[in-house]
């Protein structure tokens, strides 16, 4: 059974819903009896909170690349801040589907995706990752189009 946890109002509600549905769908029979240690509560780590800031700081990466001296010492801070900046979300319309023109038109009409002009037929778009991660309707549409094979 497919469970869509994206519709839950909070990450905790989604986690609880997922665990409830999973326990209902547990196989029955002697081979699949729950073990005593599985039934104890609180053994699983909760999922990260939705919208929680992620840190893109990696001490070992910084130490390694600083030692390689690929960037001058005076430019290191600027270089490392650039590495920490989030990348845009990119999608490509699948031209082998009959509805590819309408999908492209929809992406253009949203005003949130920008066409990458150098790609042939204008079928590649990108969107700011901050905007994409906060607009649930946009994210859901992209997920559904991707599941249907309309986006690659």
């Amino acid at each position: 059974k497919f469970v869509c946890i994206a519709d839950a109002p909070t990450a905790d509600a989604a986690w609880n819903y997922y665990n409830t549905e999973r326990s209902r769908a547990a196989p029955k029979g002697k081979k699949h009896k729950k073990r005593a240690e599985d039934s104890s509560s609180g053994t699983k780590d909760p999922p990260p909170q939705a919208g929680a800031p992620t840190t893109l700081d990696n001490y070992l990466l910084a130490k390694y690349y600083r030692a390689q001296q690929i960037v001058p010492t005076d430019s290191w801070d600027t270089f490392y801040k650039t590495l920490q900046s989030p990348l845009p979300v990119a999608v490509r319309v699948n031209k082998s589907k009959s509805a590819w023109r309408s999908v492209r038109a929809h992406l253009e009409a949203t005003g949130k995706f920008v066409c990458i002009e150098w790609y042939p037929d204008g079928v590649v778009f990108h969107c700011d990752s901050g905007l994409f991660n906060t607009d649930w309707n946009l994210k859901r549409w992209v997920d559904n189009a991707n599941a249907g094979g309309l986006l690659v």
Side-chain angles (χ1 to χ4, degrees), residues 78-149:
T78 306
F79 171 72
Y80 194 63
K81 284 183 194 243
T82 304
L83 289 179
Q84 293 173 320
S85 63
L87 296 173
V89 175
V91 295
R92 180 170 56 94
V93 178
N94 187 356
K95 285 181 56 178
S96 66
K97 298 291 183 178
S98 60
W100 74 272
R101 284 185 178 88
S102 63
V103 172
R104 181 180 65 183
H106 179 76
L107 287 171
E108 290 170 345
T110 62
K112 297 175 182 176
F113 281 92
V114 177
C115 182
I116 297 176
E117 298 296 330
W118 56 263
Y119 199 87
D121 297 324
V123 294
V124 177
F125 295 84
H126 70 90
C127 175
D128 179 55
S129 61
L131 174 66
F132 183 78
N133 288 326
T134 57
D135 189 344
W136 289 104
N137 290 329
L138 180 65
K139 195 170 188 174
R140 186 175 298 133
W141 185 88
V142 169
D143 287 345
N144 289 337
N146 192 26

Side-chain angles (χ1 to χ4, degrees), residues 1 3 5 14-27 34 38 43-45:
K1 180 181 176 185
V3 177
I5 61 173
W15 183 252
N16 293 337
Y17 181 74
Y18 171 75
N19 283 331
T20 303
E21 288 298 314
R22 190 175 61 177
S23 66
R24 285 185 194 158
K34 282 188 170 185
D38 289 344
T43 57
K44 297 196 184 288
D45 293 331

